[in-house]
């Protein structure tokens, strides 16, 4: 079944712009949609790396996905693509979390792919997820996460640390990890709760290093610890940034779905009004036809009655 999209030209005439397919998605169409989303993400990442911002609004991005799918023989509208992608990601996340739980369970539960449809439904899982679609989604989603973390980790977060001092002084503030406004503060090297509090330099300071006080190599040990702390901070920052980007995109997707739902409800109301008007016109036409037939019958009867015998 296909859906005809109509547009009005400058003369007010309706012009067919594109013919969309309706009904269930085939495996080929689903694989084309996944490929389109992968290419769209690469396109937006390249534009972001080139300094052109995060990309166009969600509506325009889904129009790009629609055009890409159309060139590959998947004739679906941007709204259909968006809804299908939401359903795919929802089912994928459910299966992925279930598989992770089964892998972490010491007793070892049954794999999703070994379950019957009724078992899947009993575990609140999608009943018809195909393995080839799941593996393709996994490839795209995992690659996207890795590229996002890599891109954020490559962004410099702080100036390079100063060269280590030979003086037995406290570490330079430049060596401290950069502040992270939305993460818990990282422990410093001198904190008693630091994971590096039992380093050789710390032990030497506690026992006085055989009576030589705090001198003798403490600067180098602190510098090494600070470098490790900085690397940890960068890694955590990259992870948090990636999660924030993903959460922002999910919020955009939700807003877009709400907007689509509103337009669909309005379209259904308009269709209902049109149908009611059509039925009313049809009823009026039927009544006029019946009245005309009655008048003709009455006139015919009257003519027959008045005819000479």
């Amino acid at each position: 079944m296909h859906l005809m999209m109509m547009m009005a030209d400058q003369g007010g005439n309706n012009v067919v712009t594109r013919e969309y397919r309706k009904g269930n998605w085939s495996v080929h169409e689903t694989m084309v949609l996944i490929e389109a989303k992968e290419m769209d993400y690469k396109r937006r990442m390249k534009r972001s790396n080139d300094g052109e911002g995060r990309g166009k609004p969600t509506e325009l991005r889904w129009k790009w996905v629609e055009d890409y799918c159309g060139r590959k023989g998947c004739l679906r509208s941007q709204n259909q693509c968006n809804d299908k992608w939401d359903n795919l990601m929802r089912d994928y996340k459910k299966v992925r979390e279930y598989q992770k739980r089964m892998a972490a369970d010491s007793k070892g539960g049954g794999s999703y792919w070994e379950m019957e449809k009724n078992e899947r439904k009993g575990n609140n899982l999608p009943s018809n997820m195909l393995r080839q679609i799941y593996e393709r989604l996994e490839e795209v989603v995992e690659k996207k996460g890795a590229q996002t973390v890599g891109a954020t980790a490559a962004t410099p977060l702080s100036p390079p640390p100063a060269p280590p001092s030979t003086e037995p002084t406290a570490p330079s503030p430049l060596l401290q990890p950069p502040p992270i406004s939305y993460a818990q503060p990282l422990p410093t090297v001198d904190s008693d709760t630091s994971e590096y509090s039992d380093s050789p330099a710390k032990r030497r300071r506690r026992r006085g290093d055989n009576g030589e006080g705090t001198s003798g190599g403490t600067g180098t040990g602190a510098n090494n610890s600070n470098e490790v702390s900085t690397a940890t901070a960068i890694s955590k920052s990259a992870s948090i940034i990636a999660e924030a980007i993903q959460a922002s995109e999910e919020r955009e997707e939700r807003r877009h779905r709400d907007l689509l739902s509103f337009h669909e409800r309005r379209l259904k109301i308009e269709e209902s009004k049109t149908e009611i008007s059509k039925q009313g016109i049809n009823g009026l036409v039927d009544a006029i036809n019946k009245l005309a037939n009655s008048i003709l019958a009455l006139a015919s009867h009257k003519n027959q009655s008045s005819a000479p015998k």
Side-chain angles (χ1 to χ4, degrees):
M1 183 176 181
H2 294 76
L3 174 65
M4 305 291 289
M5 288 294 293
M6 309 293 292
M7 289 183 61
D9 60 11
Q10 294 181 352
N13 300 318
N14 289 332
V15 179
V16 179
T17 58
R18 180 165 291 177
E19 183 178 6
Y20 296 122
R21 182 178 180 273
K22 297 185 69 176
N24 295 332
W25 285 62
S26 66
V27 176
H28 169 73
E29 289 178 313
T30 304
M31 299 297 280
V32 169
L33 174 62
I34 297 173
E35 178 184 339
K37 283 294 293 181
E38 181 181 27
M39 298 305 297
D40 174 58
Y41 174 72
K42 291 180 179 179
R43 176 180 66 95
R44 290 187 288 117
M45 281 293 294
K46 182 178 183 301
R47 185 163 54 237
S48 178
N49 293 335
D50 291 341
E52 299 181 13
R54 289 194 57 198
K56 299 180 180 180
T58 304
E59 291 78 5
L60 299 183
R61 285 196 275 117
W62 280 108
K63 179 61 178 174
W64 187 93
V65 171
E66 174 191 322
D67 294 339
Y68 185 95
C69 290
R71 292 193 298 270
K72 296 288 186 176
C74 176
L75 303 178
R76 299 285 184 167
S77 68
Q78 57 179 317
N79 295 348
Q80 290 175 305
C81 292
N82 181 255
D83 292 340
K84 180 63 176 179
W85 181 255
D86 290 340
N87 294 335
L88 282 174
M89 290 305 299
R90 182 193 62 220
D91 293 347
Y92 165 75
K93 289 177 181 179
K94 286 183 178 181
V95 176
R96 182 186 61 182
E97 293 302 320
Y98 175 81
Q99 293 291 87
K100 285 184 178 180
R101 288 199 306 270
M102 293 302 99
D105 191 357
S106 58
K107 297 180 181 179
S111 171
Y112 172 83
W113 312 112
E114 299 173 355
M115 300 167 64
E116 298 293 337
K117 283 191 176 183
N118 57 345
E119 294 182 80
R120 293 174 179 178
K121 290 182 179 179
N123 286 277
N124 194 27
L125 296 171
S127 61
N128 56 352
M129 170 70 78
L130 297 179
R131 189 160 192 165
Q132 65 185 105
I133 293 178
Y134 174 85
E135 292 175 351
R136 185 71 176 95
L137 282 171
E138 185 177 38
E139 177 185 352
V140 172
V141 172
E142 296 301 326
K143 185 186 297 184
K144 175 182 176 182
Q147 289 177 351
T148 303
V149 173
T152 52
T155 304
L157 299 179
S158 62
S165 175
T166 57
E167 298 294 330
T169 57
S172 172
L174 291 176
L175 299 178
Q176 299 298 328
I180 306 173
S181 60
Y182 41 78
Q184 293 295 329
L186 297 173
T188 61
V189 174
D190 293 331
S191 174
D192 292 336
T193 61
S194 172
E195 61 179 324
Y196 306 107
S197 60
D198 200 28
S199 63
K202 188 80 173 189
R203 290 198 298 269
R204 285 198 297 271
R205 286 200 295 271
R206 286 202 296 265
R207 65 172 178 261
D209 199 11
N210 295 327
E212 295 179 4
T214 59
S215 63
T218 57
T220 302
N223 289 331
N224 293 335
S225 299
N226 277 309
E227 291 176 359
V228 175
S229 298
T230 302
T232 303
I234 292 174
S235 177
K236 291 185 177 181
S237 299
S239 177
I240 293 171
I241 292 172
E243 292 177 359
I245 292 174
Q246 184 176 359
S248 176
E249 290 189 351
E250 290 178 353
R251 287 194 297 270
E252 289 183 3
E253 299 292 346
R254 284 196 297 270
R255 286 196 296 270
H256 182 61
R257 288 198 302 272
D258 293 341
L259 181 62
L260 291 178
S261 177
F262 170 75
H263 287 306
E264 288 176 358
R265 289 196 299 269
R266 189 172 65 179
L267 180 60
K268 289 180 180 179
I269 292 174
E270 294 295 333
E271 290 176 351
S272 299
K273 290 181 179 179
T274 303
E275 184 64 26
I276 292 172
S277 299
K278 183 179 179 181
Q279 292 176 359
I281 292 173
N282 291 338
L284 180 60
V285 170
D286 291 340
I288 293 173
N289 289 334
K290 290 179 179 179
L291 180 60
N293 292 334
S294 299
I295 293 173
L296 289 175
L298 181 60
S300 175
H301 179 72
K302 188 174 183 179
N303 289 335
Q304 292 176 359
S305 301
S306 62
K309 296 183 181 180

